[in-house]
Amino acid sequence: MITNKEIAEQKLSETAFAALLRGFGATRLLDVGASHGLFASVIRHLGYTGMIYSVEPQPDCRRRMTRSGLGDLRWIVLPSQGAGAEDSVMTLNVSENSVSSSFLAPHANHLQTEPTVRTVGTRQAYVSATRSLLQPNVTAAIDALKVDTQGYELNVMKGLGSSFGGLKIILTELSSIPCYEGGPSLEDVDDYIVNQMGFARVSLTPAYVDEASGVIQQYDGVYVRRDLLEKALEILANRDAAPLAEANRGLGQDGGAGQGLAAVVVSLPGKAPKRPDAQDRDFGQSWLESCGKSWGSYSPRVLSVSEAQSILPGVKWRKVSQKPAIRDIFATLAQAPPGGEGFVLLTNADILLGPQLRDLLPQMDPNVLYYCSRLDVRINARDPRVLEPDGVYHIGYDAFFLPQELISRIHRRGLIPGEFRIGEPWWDYVVPIAALLAGYPTKKFLAEPHPILHMSHVITSRGRLEENAEILVDWLRSLLKLPASPMTGMLAEFIEGYDSIEGDHRSKLRGLGASVIPGLT
């Protein structure tokens, strides 16, 4: 008799699924019921290098996946939400072991064999119709689907609608006996996928066994679109020879973002800021010039939206009367789009783009907002041509890779409050929150070697630190009053966390920057 340990070690369904991903050249995988991200990690280990979009309603699981996936540009964790037939708000039964949490109550059959599936709490969770999890153009390009939702699989399938026209491969959990109250049987899900969706089952392997009785309670089923059945059987028969190169082709017809950027947008000061080293030698002008050269190496379009005329050659100037608000920068870009292909990079004016960025850009999904913290560097005391790392600035963000359509959407919907100005406290948290409100997934990433460099200096002023923090908190409280959405749970968790911080006003501010907001974004 097979044991659950052997099932976990053999990874039969994952291996078959990975072989089909390679054989069909799949590049976009929707992972519904991602839990802590184990499946994404396994499928990466098995050679899949395309996009993974993970969906999971438990906020702590989302945070764990976000942390573990910092170095994987093609693993996108969506806001905490479930997937189902229609948009709704449902009660999630949180299990003792976390991975068995479900919108359905555990059945006595399952509780008897695995007591840790018992419900230890409940929480309200937003459920999106599967077809509305992603932008329509991304949904149409999804070619692989994995579903593991503890009895809710059929609802996920019914939520697909006609939007997933490119879907080729499905991996789903199936229950041979009732495991969750009201959940569909293996036959129900199999019949829907085969007869309603037009797929054929090519693999059925044990997923969970009652080791006391030997009864296999759950299976993993792998399906392919019926017109691809002959090729699928050939792939599985020769799975060890499936060409790995197929998985490395890029992101399909719409491609990656390309080797460059559509534009780089900054707000230059009227003169170079001082950047003294340990011997009080000022490198401010030379650092700024190096920053300008690095921008130009990635895009012919470099724009400064600022009060003062550009002090760097090759940088176009868009004049404003005062330090520009983030909302005004988005308006400028929306009204006069830079054109071309690729992201618009919005960054601080003292950021140097390292050569490593050139390797990262082709890995980025053009339908995702990417952002990252900077690496502070300092001048070597003995050789001023050498830069030494001085640590990553983890509590702030300095580079935003903006899809051009997202810029227009944020501007049209007025999603950014007018009080936040570039370079002032908290502006860098507003941008990813606005992207999520606009329905775009976001990706916070960390790369080695680090591509975003900033010369260390003493911060002499933190103007509007408290004022902007209060505006930010009030703004997020106001968003909770809007109709329920995938952002609702994250916003509620933020407000709850912020309100629970003990101490005076400054203690709350420290909590805001050090833990609560990074957890939100």
Side-chain angles (χ1 to χ4, degrees), residues 163-199:
S163 303
F164 285 76
L167 188 60
K168 300 175 183 176
I169 317 161
I170 298 173
L171 167 61
T172 185
E173 189 174 71
L174 304 162
S175 295
S176 58
I177 67 170
C179 291
Y180 291 88
E181 297 287 353
S185 66
L186 183 154
E187 293 79 10
D188 291 336
V189 180
D190 183 82
D191 178 74
Y192 187 86
I193 296 174
V194 171
N195 295 315
Q196 299 298 317
M197 297 177 61
F199 280 65

Side-chain angles (χ1 to χ4, degrees), residues 10-245:
Q10 291 174 0
K11 298 180 175 58
L12 296 176
S13 60
E14 295 93 337
T15 302
F17 191 64
L20 292 169
L21 292 174
R22 291 195 303 269
F24 285 114
T27 58
R28 295 185 185 273
L29 164 63
L30 180 60
D31 173 19
V32 181
S35 188
H36 299 113
L38 177 61
F39 175 80
S41 299
V42 168
I43 214 70
R44 279 283 190 255
H45 179 73
L46 292 172
Y48 175 70
T49 62
M51 296 299 304
I52 301 174
Y53 306 93
S54 289
V55 182
E56 171 57 44
Q58 298 183 82
D60 57 335
C61 291
R62 179 188 187 272
R63 286 192 295 271
R64 182 169 170 178
M65 284 190 285
T66 300
R67 289 193 299 269
S68 60
L70 278 173
D72 188 340
L73 290 171
R74 294 187 174 186
W75 182 10
I76 310 300
V77 183
L78 301 187
S80 302
Q81 63 193 299
E86 300 294 341
D87 295 345
S88 62
V89 177
M90 296 185 65
T91 298
L92 180 70
N93 300 296
V94 180
S95 66
E96 180 180 329
N97 64 12
S98 178
V99 298
S100 300
S101 299
S102 174
F103 293 115
L104 306 176
H107 193 280
N109 292 331
H110 211 22
L111 285 166
Q112 182 177 352
T113 59
E114 183 53 69
T116 62
V117 304
R118 71 184 183 94
T119 299
V120 295
T122 61
R123 65 176 302 120
Q124 295 298 105
Y126 188 81
V127 176
S128 294
T130 315
R131 58 187 173 274
S132 60
L133 288 166
L134 297 161
Q135 299 298 314
N137 62 317
V138 180
T139 298
I142 294 290
D143 41 22
L145 171 67
K146 167 262 180 181
V147 184
D148 184 1
T149 49
Q150 313 306 315
Y152 211 64
E153 288 79 13
L154 188 56
N155 299 72
V156 174
M157 302 297 174
K158 290 181 176 180
L160 294 170
S162 59
S163 303
F164 285 76
L167 188 60
K168 300 175 183 176
I169 317 161
I170 298 173
L171 167 61
T172 185
E173 189 174 71
L174 304 162
S175 295
S176 58
I177 67 170
C179 291
Y180 291 88
E181 297 287 353
S185 66
L186 183 154
E187 293 79 10
D188 291 336
V189 180
D190 183 82
D191 178 74
Y192 187 86
I193 296 174
V194 171
N195 295 315
Q196 299 298 317
M197 297 177 61
F199 280 65
R201 176 160 41 85
V202 295
S203 174
L204 187 67
T205 55
Y208 182 81
V209 61
D210 176 358
E211 295 183 4
S213 65
V215 174
I216 298 174
Q217 293 191 345
Q218 294 173 317
Y219 287 85
D220 283 334
V222 179
Y223 299 78
V224 298
R225 209 170 61 211
R226 192 171 292 125
D227 61 303
L228 303 174
L229 176 59
E230 184 175 343
K231 181 178 180 181
L233 294 175
E234 180 183 347
I235 291 169
L236 292 176
N238 302 280
R239 67 183 65 183
D240 293 335
L244 186 59

Side-chain angles (χ1 to χ4, degrees), residues 426-453:
W426 312 112
W427 80 271
D428 45 340
Y429 293 112
V430 171
V431 175
I433 294 171
L436 291 169
L437 290 170
Y440 264 72
T442 64
K443 175 68 179 182
K444 179 169 58 178
F445 71 95
L446 180 64
E448 291 291 344
H450 206 291
I452 306 297
L453 307 179

